[in-house]
């Protein structure tokens, strides 16, 4: 198995290690905000978050649907703090309309993954499901092991070389 094939296999499993993602959004004035949200993911790597309309990140996404999400190894699990495994995606957010077939499918995934709390969230009118569609990204496994995620095929890694940086 080549280094790229090993990285590809790791990339495919990496998001499964997490229950939440770090979200980077920007408000109308261009001021960034970092937050997090529990998520579920589909086979096409679309990420779904179930968030309050009162949250800063939700308001920012309504104003600017472009955001970045980050999956990153826990500091306690990493051997080298400067080379934590991490995956980020540049995404565009869209609202999933309440009580549609897709909304019901996604809320069921949340209930399976996160339990009884989801029944409570369903009853709160300000909570909404957003679909975060990744367009590009980067997967870093360690020093010298960084991969771009192909915008044409979000499931395919492309190794970053010195030549590809210039």
């Amino acid at each position: 198995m080549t280094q790229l094939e090993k990285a590809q296999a790791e990339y495919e499993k990496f998001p499964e290690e997490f229950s939440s993602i770090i979200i980077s959004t920007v408000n109308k004035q261009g001021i960034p905000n970092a937050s997090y949200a529990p998520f579920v993911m589909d086979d096409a790597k679309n990420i779904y978050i179930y968030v309050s309309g009162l949250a800063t990140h939700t308001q920012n996404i309504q104003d600017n649907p472009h955001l970045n999400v980050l999956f990153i190894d826990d500091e306690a699990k990493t051997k080298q703090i400067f080379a934590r495994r991490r995956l980020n995606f540049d995404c565009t957010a869209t609202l999933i309309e309440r009580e549609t077939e897709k909304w019901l499918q996604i809320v069921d995934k949340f209930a399976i993954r996160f339990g009884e709390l989801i029944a409570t969230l369903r009853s709160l009118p300000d909570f909404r499901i957003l679909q975060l569609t990744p367009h590009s990204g980067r997967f870093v496994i360690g020093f010298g092991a960084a991969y771009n995620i192909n915008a044409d095929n979000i499931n395919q890694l492309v190794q970053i070389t010195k030549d590809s940086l210039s």
Side-chain angles (χ1 to χ4, degrees):
M1 188 179 272
T2 68
Q3 183 180 351
L4 181 58
E5 289 169 334
K6 287 178 189 174
Q8 184 69 42
E10 196 169 338
Y11 166 61
E12 289 168 13
K13 299 256 185 264
F14 191 64
E16 295 171 11
E17 298 178 24
F18 301 88
S19 296
S20 65
I21 51 173
I22 298 169
I23 304 169
S24 178
T25 61
V26 179
N27 71 10
K28 285 180 183 176
Q29 293 77 33
I31 298 170
N33 174 264
S35 189
Y36 86 100
F39 76 97
V40 296
M41 183 181 272
D42 66 20
D43 291 340
K45 294 214 175 352
N46 291 305
I47 300 162
Y48 300 90
I49 57 176
Y50 202 6
V51 292
S52 168
L54 305 176
T56 299
H57 55 251
T58 306
Q59 293 174 16
N60 288 353
I61 290 168
Q62 286 176 328
D63 293 335
N64 180 353
H66 304 286
L67 66 151
N68 187 276
V69 300
L70 175 68
F71 302 82
I72 187 165
D73 268 345
D74 188 310
E75 289 182 11
K77 290 167 117 182
T78 191
K79 294 176 185 161
Q80 173 48 262
I81 196 67
F82 284 94
R84 288 164 71 186
R85 285 186 318 159
R86 58 202 177 271
L87 167 63
N88 74 332
F89 288 119
D90 292 324
C91 300
T92 302
T94 53
L95 177 68
I96 304 298
E97 292 295 330
R98 282 183 82 90
E99 304 301 330
T100 60
E101 185 176 333
K102 184 168 187 174
W103 186 91
L104 292 168
Q105 289 172 349
I106 301 303
V107 85
D108 284 347
K109 286 184 177 198
F110 273 97
I112 290 165
R113 188 161 193 203
F114 298 107
E116 294 179 18
L117 175 65
I118 301 306
T120 302
L121 298 182
R122 282 184 78 161
S123 70
L124 301 175
D126 69 298
F127 268 77
R128 59 211 53 187
I129 296 174
L130 298 172
Q131 177 177 321
L132 312 181
T133 304
H135 299 291
S136 60
R138 183 168 283 187
F139 184 46
V140 178
I141 300 172
F143 292 118
Y147 302 85
N148 281 326
I149 297 164
N150 188 333
D152 297 326
N153 181 357
I154 207 72
N155 292 306
Q156 184 65 48
L157 295 180
V158 178
Q159 185 151 24
I160 299 171
T161 62
K162 282 188 239 178
D163 295 336
S164 66
L165 293 174
S166 52

